[in-house]
Amino acid sequence: MDTPEYQAMVYRQSLMRVIAFKAGRVRGMADGNIPVDEAEFLRSANELATLAGMIEDGAVSGSDSESVPGSNALPAIWDDLAAFGERAANLRAAAETVASQAQAGGFAAAQAAASGDIGPNCGGCHRNFRQSDD
């Protein structure tokens, strides 16, 4: 399929995989699940903020789970596009906070925000706007 709606779905899913990887690196270090690498932590937090700023680009009407096979995006995105955008902005802000804290004071200064703020912002969007895999 080469429709704009299908391409939006592919874009969104690809972007979310990269976001999941970067968030996993940041949270993994913050939670003590992977070894801390200060440079990678800062880079991943900065990249996560940039990627979160790209989420709304994939919110193309008609690319939802009821319209495009393989899509996990619920039609609720387009019922409340402002709330969807707000949640994407919240993830970006959380990642920017982590990155700025890491830039100013290293990993130790950003660890609490990375552990506590990234996941809830991802989940806050998924619960409302993404079809469950179950």
Side-chain angles (χ1 to χ4, degrees), residues 14-78:
S14 300
L15 178 64
M16 293 303 173
R17 283 186 180 95
V18 177
I19 286 173
F21 178 79
K22 291 299 180 176
R25 301 300 295 170
V26 170
R27 292 228 18 230
M29 285 184 225
D31 294 344
N33 297 323
I34 58 176
V36 175
D37 177 323
E38 295 257 353
E40 182 182 347
F41 181 81
L42 176 59
R43 182 179 57 251
S44 291
N46 279 317
E47 290 170 347
L48 180 58
T50 298
L51 293 163
M54 299 166 64
I55 292 171
E56 286 185 273
D57 295 344
V60 173
S61 182
S63 64
D64 59 84
S65 59
E66 294 179 3
S67 303
V68 177
S71 177
N72 292 325
L74 293 174
I77 291 172
W78 294 274

Side-chain angles (χ1 to χ4, degrees), residues 96-116:
E96 287 173 343
T97 296
V98 170
S100 67
Q101 289 175 347
Q103 182 70 43
F107 171 78
Q111 184 176 8
S115 183

